[in-house]
Amino acid sequence: MHKIITIGSATMDVFVECDDANIVSVCSKDKNSDFMSYPYGSKIDISSFSSNVGGGGINTACNFANLGFDTSAMFKIGDDIYASGIKDFFKDKSVNLDYVIQDKSVSTGFSIILVSFQGDRTVLAHRGANALIRKEELNFEAIKDAYFIYIAPLNGESNKVLESIVKCAEENNTFICFNAGTTSLKKGFEDIKKILKAATAVVMNKEEATMVTEIQVRPDTKTEKFSHETIHPDIKSMLKKLKVKENQVVVITDGNKGAYAYAGKEFYFCPVFPSDVVSTLGAGDSFASTFCATLMQKWTGDSSDIGKALMYASVNSASVVSKFSATEGCLTFEEIEAKLQSRPEFTYLVG
């Protein structure tokens, strides 16, 4: 099986849910926004509480390993109780941790996840070691030896190592799947374009795609017919702008509305696979890594493989959101295929 390295964040996540949380929707001329609110100045009882390991580097590594790949993870942690918890988490996981960076002078990443009654979440994140990766700490020999690297969001100071990682991978014919972080996106399209040019697969959610392309999905624009579904022309424009080289596929996810892909000729749309939503944390990591894994494992050279990869990704992310932990619901390829067989009406669309 191909060697894969995931590069990204590692955190200890604390999930908090309380019945007093409200969802407040605010509308303006150009956009709609939702906010989670609590009674100001009050002491609020927690209705449920749990802690789990998460972060883009960890979530995707667990998913790739579960799908049967020879997987290594490259992330940075401190030397504290949270670092110990992360190491313990991997004791029963088939993930190589030889390339993990540990620094006693920094704290391990930590997040508090506020879960709404709708299953969505707001994350209060202390990036800690995740934002402090230095070039000299990375194992570039491992990157050279990998068949594929998955780059999860690298924020803060860690974003400065992104170009070095991509350059090393390019020079050694290592395939790249890129999921940009906020720090990269805020630099603007022209700055991130050189990273996009190196990636075989690029995955972003709609909000991230809007930020980097500066293309807004206008609520008053008439949508075009996309088979028996619809695709917004502004999303088409985003996909076209993000695809900056040949032999590249770009994916934009849009929450419970589904996901879109573009590889230069046709547009693909895949709806969300049905599931009961418990927590959406980790859904994006599961979707992106499953999409990339499916293309690597099942690519036949046919354009329909892109649509199939969207379907596999939708099934796996639907399983993840049905569990509280970001890694608990990860499925194998066989389990994904069984779920697809149980719902033959579920499919992707091409236009």
Side-chain angles (χ1 to χ4, degrees), residues 5-156:
I5 295 178
T6 66
I7 305 172
S9 61
T11 67
M12 182 61 72
D13 293 331
V14 174
F15 295 80
V16 177
E17 185 173 7
C18 71
D19 295 334
D20 290 332
N22 300 297
I23 306 300
V24 179
S25 296
V26 178
C27 301
S28 63
K29 180 180 179 181
D30 298 322
K31 63 179 181 179
N32 299 329
S33 300
D34 294 326
F35 298 88
M36 187 181 294
S37 69
Y38 298 87
Y40 182 71
S42 300
K43 181 180 288 187
I44 303 169
D45 289 333
I46 293 172
S47 55
S48 66
F49 172 91
S50 69
S51 59
N52 291 286
V53 168
I58 286 181
N59 294 341
T60 54
C62 289
N63 191 38
F64 280 123
N66 197 62
L67 291 168
F69 290 87
D70 181 357
T71 308
S72 298
M74 196 177 291
F75 53 78
K76 186 172 182 177
I77 54 177
D79 186 19
D80 47 32
I81 188 172
Y82 305 123
S84 298
I86 289 172
K87 287 183 176 180
D88 288 343
F89 169 81
F90 278 103
K91 285 183 178 179
D92 62 348
K93 303 291 188 299
S94 300
V95 177
N96 175 32
L97 300 182
D98 289 348
Y99 313 131
V100 170
I101 306 156
Q102 190 160 16
D103 186 345
K104 295 182 179 180
S105 67
V106 299
S107 60
T108 302
F110 181 84
S111 295
I112 298 174
I113 295 97
L114 305 175
V115 184
S116 81
F117 60 88
Q118 295 176 330
D120 216 332
R121 78 285 183 271
T122 297
V123 181
L124 307 177
H126 168 62
R127 302 197 185 278
N130 295 319
L132 300 171
I133 298 174
R134 301 190 303 272
K135 179 179 177 180
E136 60 270 21
E137 295 174 321
L138 294 171
N139 190 319
F140 285 99
E141 290 303 315
I143 295 172
K144 291 178 184 179
D145 189 47
Y147 176 78
F148 196 96
I149 61 171
Y150 179 97
I151 306 176
L154 292 171
N155 292 305

Side-chain angles (χ1 to χ4, degrees), residues 237-305:
S237 297
M238 287 181 185
L239 289 165
K240 288 180 178 180
K241 185 170 183 176
L242 289 170
K243 187 184 182 305
V244 295
K245 73 167 189 175
E246 295 295 324
N247 301 317
Q248 180 184 57
V249 58
V250 178
V251 176
I252 295 177
T253 61
D254 192 11
N256 60 12
K257 294 180 181 178
Y260 305 89
Y262 178 64
K265 294 183 179 180
E266 299 169 313
F267 291 93
Y268 299 80
F269 168 76
C270 185
V272 171
F273 192 79
S275 70
D276 295 325
V277 178
V278 175
S279 171
T280 57
L281 193 71
D285 292 331
S286 172
F287 189 99
S289 54
T290 304
F291 179 84
C292 296
T294 305
L295 283 184
M296 281 190 292
Q297 181 71 3
K298 301 182 178 296
W299 178 258
T300 64
D302 193 293
S303 61
S304 65
D305 293 336

Side-chain angles (χ1 to χ4, degrees), residues 148-154 159 162 166 176-181 184-185 192 195-196 198-204 288 292:
F148 196 96
I149 61 171
Y150 179 97
I151 306 176
L154 292 171
N159 189 256
L162 184 56
V166 169
I176 300 169
C177 181
F178 181 50
N179 182 205
S184 295
L185 298 174
I192 205 173
I195 306 298
L196 298 178
T200 303
V202 177
V203 184
M204 297 183 189
C292 296

